[in-house]
Amino acid sequence: MSVILPGSYDPVTVGHLDVIRRAAEKYDEVYVVIFVNPEKTYTFSLDDRMRMLMLATDDLDNVLVSYSNGMVVDYMREHDIERIVKGYRDDTDLEYERKQADFNLAYGGYETELVKCRDGMESVSSTEVRRRILAREDISALVPEAVADYIKSHT
């Protein structure tokens, strides 16, 4: 079975990578796709986000990194992807992801598997990484090592 993990990955975190790894253990093909929202402002360019995702998932043979300017359900149809996998940290995340899951089921016919983050990862977020970068604080506990190195050499 093939699954998709859609997101902005601005940047990819250890929380994202944990969910990606868990999906890679369970499914045959895992598409990790950056979806570009023209109404959103990103800290990192699409090229940087793609590069960081590729660095983070380099050891996972069944993970494909890509991007799209379209909708998740359209991408899934185009690539014969069968299910969506999304991670969540807390009840607020869960409520948001459930609404997205309901939409994707109603309008695309695609089920979403919601994966709870591991204990201790509840405070890991791309928002916190970006805050720490601006404050010139350490991000090494929040992002994969290769991503921390990439950010250090590109900011």
Side-chain angles (χ1 to χ4, degrees):
M1 176 181 280
S2 61
V3 298
I4 187 170
L5 281 79
S8 58
Y9 300 102
D10 189 32
V12 60
T13 68
V14 293
H16 291 131
L17 185 57
D18 180 61
V19 175
I20 293 166
R21 286 188 181 285
R22 289 159 69 184
E25 290 172 5
K26 185 174 180 179
Y27 296 106
D28 299 320
E29 279 187 315
V30 177
Y31 288 77
V32 181
V33 183
I34 297 170
F35 281 86
V36 179
N37 180 346
E39 297 176 11
K40 193 171 177 181
T41 302
Y42 299 102
T43 299
F44 294 95
S45 71
L46 176 59
D47 287 343
D48 284 337
R49 289 181 286 147
M50 287 285 296
R51 187 76 183 124
M52 287 186 276
L53 262 177
M54 287 188 276
L55 288 167
T57 61
D58 188 46
D59 64 320
L60 301 171
D61 293 334
N62 62 334
V63 171
L64 303 143
V65 174
S66 186
Y67 72 93
S68 176
N69 294 312
M71 292 186 62
V72 173
V73 295
D74 294 334
Y75 188 95
M76 292 176 74
R77 273 189 217 100
E78 292 167 12
H79 294 87
D80 295 321
I81 299 169
E82 300 159 85
R83 177 175 290 167
I84 302 164
V85 175
K86 292 287 291 196
Y88 69 94
R89 293 178 300 253
D90 55 28
D91 289 342
T92 303
D93 275 357
L94 179 59
E95 183 60 30
Y96 174 80
E97 295 301 345
R98 280 189 178 146
K99 287 178 184 175
Q100 293 293 112
D102 290 346
F103 174 86
N104 289 323
L105 182 59
Y107 294 100
Y110 294 106
E111 295 277 344
T112 301
E113 177 181 340
L114 298 173
V115 178
K116 174 85 170 88
C117 75
R118 293 191 194 274
D119 289 344
M121 289 195 173
E122 297 85 357
S123 63
V124 175
S125 70
S126 294
T127 302
E128 178 60 14
V129 173
R130 294 189 304 268
R131 185 200 69 74
R132 288 186 184 194
I133 289 169
L134 285 174
R136 301 203 181 277
E137 296 174 5
D138 182 35
I139 61 169
S140 61
L142 301 179
V143 298
E145 183 178 354
V147 172
D149 292 343
Y150 183 89
I151 290 171
K152 189 181 286 186
S153 69
H154 287 81
T155 56

